[in-house]
Amino acid sequence: IFIEHLRFFTMTSISGRVLYWVTIEPLPGATVSLLAGNLTLISGAADREGIFNLSTSAVPDKLKIESVGYTT
């Protein structure tokens, strides 16, 4: 058996729930991004319960959450 190219990828996955800290209510539609430095690796939107799931083969070092009308 001859294998010319063999690559293994490790996936980084993160999931969670975006909540407004004052009322503890979900923030549906909030944009959640995984970044490496200033480069966005992957982004997604929280569902109606504020839940998100993201996976990437790169290694992120930041988690960024944005939602209209809210600041961090």
Side-chain angles (χ1 to χ4, degrees):
I1 297 175
F2 177 72
I3 300 174
E4 184 176 346
H5 296 283
L6 184 61
R7 295 182 183 172
F8 293 96
F9 293 99
T10 302
M11 296 297 289
T12 299
S13 297
I14 186 167
S15 61
R17 192 168 182 205
V18 182
L19 303 171
Y20 180 45
W21 70 275
V22 174
T23 62
I24 314 300
E25 292 186 17
L27 287 178
T31 301
V32 182
S33 305
L34 293 178
L35 296 93
N38 291 326
L39 176 67
T40 300
L41 301 172
I42 189 168
S43 291
D47 68 13
R48 36 187 276 178
E49 297 298 320
I51 296 171
F52 67 91
N53 294 291
L54 298 174
S55 295
T56 180
S57 60
V59 179
D61 60 9
K62 294 178 192 167
L63 173 69
K64 181 178 177 183
I65 301 172
E66 299 176 296
S67 187
V68 175
Y70 294 89
T71 59
T72 55

